[in-house]
Structure formats: C-alpha cells, structure tokens
C-alpha cells in the first residue's frame, strides 16, 4: 500500500454521507495510451496483454487511482486524493466515463463488490489512529444518493476489504499504523463482518474482531521466531505485539483467511466464522548470495549488473496476497514489495555504509561483506538496523534488505513452493535497458536499485484458456508481469507490458498525460464471463499518474 504521508495531505474529508454525489455530471476520460506500450514476452507466451483504455484524473502523485473493483459495466476506483470511490462506466473501455462518486467521512482505502451488487468501501478516520468504518452501497444504483445503504465501525486504518467467495462475510485488514509522530500506535486487527443475504447494509452486531492478544506475554500462544516485532512502544506494556503487527492484505480459502503482515514478514491465519487468529506463519528470508536471487544493489555503479552477496538476505515482506487451487491444493501468491517502519524519530532503515552511525554498529570487519561497502556495491543498499546484528561482536554479521524483488507461491502452512528470484529485474532490464529500476515519479536509470528494485506490490490471479496466471504490478518502473502458475512449482514467465513512455519524466516537468501509467497500485482480473466487453480484462489503478487503465487479455493463435 502507498505511503500515508503524501496522500493524506490532499485528502478531502466529506462529512455528510447523504451528500455523496461529488460529480454533478459525467466526466469523460482523456486518451492516455502511449504510442508504443512496452511489451516483452517469452517465446512460448500463450496470452498477450494490450492497453485498450484509460481514465485520467489529471492528479500527479496524489493517489487519485488506487484499488479497483469491477461490477457489470462499472469500475469502482479508490481515489484517496478526493477521499472517495469513483464510479466509472467502462462499457466502452476506450472512452470510460465517470458517473458519480461515493464518499463518507475520512479517506477511502479499498473497495469490493459482491456478485449480487452489494458493495463495501473501507474508510479510515480523519485521525488515522481512530476507528474506521465500512460504507455499504448498491453497485447497481443510478446515483450516489440512492447507492448508499449504511455503515458499521471497524478497526483503526481499515486498509483493505474483501468479500469471501460465497458472499457471507466481508473481511477487513485494519492496519493500525502508528501516528505520524509515533505518539500512539493502535492495534492491528482483522474485522469479520457477517453480510446480509440481500443488497443491504450489515448491522454493527454483525461485526467481530480477530486480534493478536493471544500472542502477548501470558496470552497462551508463543509468537513464532522470525515474526518481526520491534521498535518504540508508546503504550508501554499494553499489547506491544498487537500494536506492532499491521495487517495489510487478505486472501481467502474456505473458512480461513490469510493476511499479510508486511513489516513483520509474516502471514496471519484467521478462522473466519469465529473471528480468531489461529496461527502466524513467519516467511523467513531469501539468500541473496545464491545465483537465482542475484540483484543490482546500487544506484551509483553506472551500469546494471545482477550480483550475489553471501551474507545478504532479502525479507519477503509481501503486500498483495491471493489464493488459488492447483492439483487439489490451495496455494498463496504474494507480491514481495517490502516495507519498513519509519514513524516520528524512529526509522529502521539505513544504508549499509551508514550502519555504524544509524544502527548498533558497523559491518563486522571479519565479514566477507566488509570489502563491498563502497557505493558501487552494497554501500548504498537500504537495509534494516533491526536484523543481523551480532551483539557479542558489536557489529553486523549479516545484512537484511527490504522486499524480495519477486513474487512467491506458498503452501497454506507457509512452506515456500516457488519464488521468481531475480527474474523481475532481469526481464525489465531486457524490456527497457535504459530505464531498469526506474522510479515512478521520474524516468531514470537504476533510481531504485539501492532500495527495492521494481517493487512488486499488487497481484491478481485469473484463468484464461484453462491456464492460471498471476498478474504482478511493479510500483516503481511500472507495468504488469504475467506468469503461468498452473503448476506452482514450475511457474514460468509469459509476458510483461508497460503503458509508459520513459522519454517523458513528469517530475522533470514533462506532461503527465503523455507519460502514461505511473505507480500501479491495485490490480484486478475481470474474467470474460463478467466483463462488460465479453473478453477477459485486467484493471489497474495507478496512484502516481492518477490513471485507471484496462488491458485486454488475448489468447495467441496456435498456443
């Protein structure tokens, strides 16, 4: 999910739910498909993606297009800048039209729609550490005034909402981020909301909360080794574990939900009907000393080069998570973005060369990493100060970087089945060699090599032609990478498409409309059976360019 600082500065709080119609007349989109979208595919690719339409808000780097949900011929798009959800008619993808918007008090973060048209929007409070709420709406309504059905209160900073496949529950990841100055830190939790069997609002009595109290001292459960709980405790001994764990995204399988705890590098397991956390799965790390996990760790080496460094680990730290079935088993698919705790005067982030100043000591002189501390190697790589420190020796014997620069497939017990290794950096280097690891706000070369590389954030899973595909969005360089995951252990790259013109750098004064899509955030697969066009589509919300783009998915002849 995006940084909370920039998007809240421009958010508009609309306090009257009844006055939800923010647009008085339909607004047509401008055309924003770049002349030559970037496309790079495997020789045996069975499908292709092509951008067929974009809706532009014209707002740069203000989170004006984030999470996307589809219903009928409408897209429901979170616009955090306006604090609302835009309702777009996409019956003609090349000329999408904004019909109206749904708003409430606070800031919209996520949206989901049930198959019968019952919609849910997650709103955080104007004070993000206070309890948030869900707004229920009828996705079939002709306008905002008749769409709104009611609200219920949930936890602090409800960041993601989903509806289980059978439609009986809405699940909410209450992230519970600290205040910006770290003066307070609410508990993270998951709200389980029993939904009515008709298009109507749930009642407050239908809301249960799954918390992490059992993992506190004396709570009866032991926090597994590897689950990262650390940093300031502004509330002292009052539920320090629960306040530290921050639910991010939710996948569902039957009666269980799997919730990414990004900063903790773990996944929580929630039993849905009882609203009870039944387990926490630590994800461990990937060894960046292995050839398949090579990375480019420097933005100052003047050349792209994938290298290995024994003693450097990558923490998966997934944001987006989805579930799917293969061979009678359920698997979890994660986009391993990486994220750090940085609030108030506290930050766990340091460049390797600054560890002596920022952390608890330098890199150990006896470590083989000690000879790679220059800017062209590891010196500028951002790592955590909280892992890898050898207290007895007074130095860092290992280094831990944020994110996996990959996507992974896991068993529901947390066993790693597949990881894409360094393929994301390799394929983007082949597709756009002059802008590999570019930033999103400007076009540059290796601007994010020292951080999280392409930064995979959102993931969608869908079936086309009897095969199952993962669609992974890259927050920084942009674009969507598609992998065939039909056989989880033998997942393979299919294609990469990026509706971006790198010759235009908006931060350097370039035209936003000409730049294309910047900063993909939400990714939603629309199967042919429910698509307004009768063809499978991928809808992508781009938080930096403020665009919502539809990609048509086509089977390639003879494949």
């Amino acid at each position: 999910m995006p940084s909370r600082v920039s998007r809240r500065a421009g958010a508009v709080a609309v306090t009257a739910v009844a006055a939800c119609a923010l647009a008085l007349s339909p607004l047509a989109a401008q055309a924003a498909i770049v002349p030559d979208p970037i496309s790079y595919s495997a020789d045996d690719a069975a499908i292709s993606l092509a951008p067929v339409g974009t809706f532009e808000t014209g707002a740069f780097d203000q989170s004006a297009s984030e999470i996307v949900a589809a219903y009928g011929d409408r897209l429901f798009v979170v616009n955090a800048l306006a604090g609302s959800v835009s309702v777009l008619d996409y019956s003609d993808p090349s000329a999408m039209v904004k019909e109206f918007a749904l708003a409430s008090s606070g800031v919209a973060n996520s949206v989901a729609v049930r198959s019968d048209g019952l919609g849910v929007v997650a709103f955080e409070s104007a004070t993000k550490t206070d309890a948030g709420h869900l707004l229920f709406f009828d996705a079939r309504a002709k306008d905002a005034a008749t769409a709104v059905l009611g609200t219920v209160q949930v936890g602090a900073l409800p960041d993601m909402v989903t509806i289980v496949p059978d439609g009986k529950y809405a699940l909410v990841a209450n992230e519970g981020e600290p205040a910006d100055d770290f003066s307070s830190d609410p508990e993270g939790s998951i709200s389980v909301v029993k939904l009515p069997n008709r298009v109507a609002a749930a009642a407050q009595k239908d809301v249960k909360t799954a918390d992490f109290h059992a993992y506190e001292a004396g709570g009866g459960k032991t926090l597994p080794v590897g689950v990262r709980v650390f940093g300031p405790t502004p509330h002292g001994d009052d539920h320090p574990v629960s306040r530290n764990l921050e639910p991010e995204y939710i996948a569902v399988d039957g009666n269980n939900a799997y919730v990414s705890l990004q900063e903790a590098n773990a996944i929580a397991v929630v039993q849905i009907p009882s609203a009870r956390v039944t387990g926490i799965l630590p994800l461990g790390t990937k060894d960046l000393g292995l050839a398949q996990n090579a990375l480019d760790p420097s933005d100052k080496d003047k050349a792209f080069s994938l290298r290995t460094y024994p003693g450097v680990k990558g923490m998966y730290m997934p944001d987006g998570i989805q579930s799917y079935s293969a061979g009678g088993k359920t698997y979890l698919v994660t986009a391993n973005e990486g994220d750090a705790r940085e609030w108030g005067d506290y930050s766990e982030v340091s460049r390797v060369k600054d560890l002596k100043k920022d952390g608890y000591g330098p890199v150990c002189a006896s470590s083989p990493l000690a000879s790679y501390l220059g800017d062209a190697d590891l010196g500028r790589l951002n790592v955590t100060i909280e892992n890898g420190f050898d207290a007895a020796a007074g130095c860092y014997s290992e280094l831990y970087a944020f994110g996996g620069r990959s996507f992974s497939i896991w068993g529901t017990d947390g066993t790693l089945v597949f990881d894409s290794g360094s393929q994301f950096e390799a394929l983007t280097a082949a597709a756009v060699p002059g802008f590999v690891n570019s930033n999103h706000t400007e076009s540059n070369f290796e601007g994010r090599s020292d951080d999280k590389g392409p930064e995979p954030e959102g993931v969608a899973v869908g079936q086309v032609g009897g095969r199952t595909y993962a669609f992974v969005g890259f927050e920084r360089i942009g674009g969507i990478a598609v992998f065939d995951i039909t056989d989880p252990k033998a997942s393979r790259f299919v294609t990469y498409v990026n509706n971006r013109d790198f010759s235009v750098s908006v931060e350097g004064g370039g035209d936003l409309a000409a730049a294309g899509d910047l900063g993909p955030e939400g990714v939603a697969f629309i199967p042919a059976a429910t698509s307004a066009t009768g063809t499978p589509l991928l809808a992508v919300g781009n938080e930096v360019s403020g665009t919502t783009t539809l990609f048509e998915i086509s089977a390639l002849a003879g494949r």
Side-chain angles (χ1 to χ4, degrees):
M1 295 296 172
S3 166
R4 299 293 162 196
V5 178
S6 62
R7 69 186 240 182
R8 278 166 183 72
V12 177
V14 181
T15 57
V17 172
C20 292
L22 301 185
L24 298 180
S25 59
L27 299 175
Q30 304 171 33
I33 303 300
V34 301
D36 296 300
I38 295 157
S39 181
Y40 176 78
S41 299
D43 292 339
D44 61 351
I47 62 170
S48 65
L49 265 68
V52 292
T54 293
F55 184 88
E56 292 185 349
T57 62
F60 173 63
D61 200 18
Q62 297 184 78
S63 298
S65 177
E66 292 194 338
I67 305 304
V68 185
Y71 182 80
D73 57 4
R74 285 173 167 173
L75 296 179
F76 297 83
V77 184
V78 170
N79 182 334
L81 171 64
S84 61
V85 170
S86 300
V87 182
L88 308 181
D89 179 344
Y90 81 97
S91 54
D92 179 357
S94 66
M96 287 186 272
V97 174
K98 180 178 177 181
E99 296 182 313
F100 55 91
L102 298 163
S104 185
S105 58
V107 180
N109 279 338
S110 184
V111 61
V113 184
R114 198 168 65 179
S115 60
D116 65 352
L118 176 61
V120 190
V121 185
F123 280 89
E124 68 178 84
S125 172
T127 300
K128 71 171 184 174
T129 53
D130 291 346
H133 68 276
L134 299 182
L135 172 73
F136 295 93
F137 67 92
D138 185 345
R140 306 163 300 179
K142 64 179 181 179
D143 55 33
T146 57
V148 174
L149 302 170
T151 64
V152 295
Q153 181 176 294
V154 290
L157 210 164
D159 199 37
M160 187 267 184
V161 62
T162 189
I163 297 174
V164 303
D166 66 9
K168 292 181 179 179
Y169 296 93
L171 308 178
V172 188
N174 301 308
E175 191 169 5
E177 282 182 349
D180 291 346
D181 62 359
F182 224 141
S183 60
S184 65
D185 188 0
E187 294 183 30
S189 64
I190 300 93
S191 292
V192 177
V193 185
K194 187 175 181 180
L195 298 177
N197 57 13
R198 58 191 178 89
V199 179
Q204 192 62 46
K205 65 179 178 61
D206 297 320
V207 181
K208 296 180 180 179
T209 300
D211 59 41
F212 297 97
H213 292 178
Y215 294 91
E216 305 289 354
K221 290 188 177 182
T222 301
L223 190 70
V225 174
V227 179
R228 303 177 74 236
V229 173
F230 59 93
T233 53
H235 304 274
D237 293 333
D238 181 22
H239 299 112
V241 173
S242 304
R243 296 182 188 280
N244 195 282
L245 299 178
E246 298 176 2
E248 192 81 32
Y249 217 90
I250 304 172
V252 177
D253 174 46
N255 282 331
N256 288 323
Y258 297 88
V259 185
S260 57
L261 305 175
Q262 188 170 27
E263 294 84 352
N265 194 33
I267 293 173
V269 184
V270 179
Q271 209 277 340
I272 296 172
S274 66
R276 185 169 57 92
V277 177
T278 58
I280 300 179
L281 310 174
L283 297 181
T285 59
K286 60 191 295 184
D287 185 349
L288 303 183
L290 300 179
Q292 65 265 29
N293 296 332
L295 78 163
D296 186 311
S298 175
D299 60 340
K300 298 295 184 183
D301 56 353
K302 300 181 180 179
F304 177 75
S305 174
L306 292 174
R307 288 156 279 173
T308 58
Y309 295 91
V312 182
K313 312 291 185 182
M315 298 180 288
Y316 294 99
M317 294 180 150
D319 186 340
I321 182 171
Q322 298 287 343
S323 65
Y324 79 108
S325 296
K329 295 183 179 180
T330 298
Y331 296 91
L332 306 175
V333 184
T334 60
N336 304 321
E337 178 196 23
D339 200 8
R341 283 172 71 80
E342 298 179 88
W343 303 104
D345 295 329
Y346 174 78
S347 173
E348 67 166 306
V349 183
S350 175
R351 295 193 187 277
V352 171
K353 67 179 181 180
D354 295 329
L355 276 170
K356 183 176 181 180
K357 170 175 65 71
D358 296 338
Y360 306 112
V363 172
C364 295
S366 59
S367 168
L369 298 174
S371 59
Y372 295 103
L373 304 184
D375 283 354
D377 281 299
L378 295 174
R380 290 186 57 78
L381 180 67
N382 283 312
V383 296
T384 179
I385 64 173
E386 298 291 353
N387 294 82
F389 184 70
D390 185 333
C395 54
Y396 286 88
S397 57
E398 293 182 321
L399 301 175
Y400 290 77
F402 300 99
R405 305 191 183 198
S406 64
F407 87 98
S408 298
I409 300 176
W410 312 82
T412 54
D413 62 353
T415 301
L416 181 65
V417 175
F418 171 85
D419 184 77
S420 62
S422 57
Q423 289 188 67
F424 286 172
E425 282 186 275
L427 70 88
T428 51
V432 279
F435 297 95
V436 63
N437 284 343
S438 174
N439 213 321
H440 46 24
T441 55
E442 65 174 331
S443 300
N444 53 32
F445 176 69
E446 291 194 306
R448 299 294 294 181
S449 287
D450 58 323
D451 206 341
K452 292 173 274 188
E455 206 161 318
E457 180 168 14
V459 59
V461 173
Q463 288 194 332
V464 180
R467 309 290 295 180
T468 304
Y469 296 93
F471 303 85
V472 185
F474 298 158
E475 183 178 5
R476 298 294 172 164
I477 192 171
I480 304 294
V482 184
F483 277 68
D484 185 327
I485 60 171
T486 307
D487 179 352
K489 294 181 180 179
S491 296
R492 63 184 191 273
F493 169 67
V494 176
T495 189
Y496 169 70
V497 178
N498 194 346
N499 179 48
R500 179 175 180 179
D501 186 344
F502 283 93
S503 70
V504 180
S505 185
V506 182
E507 201 165 73
D511 178 41
L512 176 61
D517 294 334
L518 307 173
E521 171 79 7
V523 184
F525 175 77
I526 308 173
T530 58
S531 166
T533 66
T535 59
L537 301 170
L538 194 74
V540 182
N542 302 283
E543 64 173 340
V544 174
S545 56
T547 53
T548 303
T549 299
L550 283 169
F551 293 81
E552 187 171 67
I553 305 170
S554 302
L556 296 177
R559 301 290 174 83

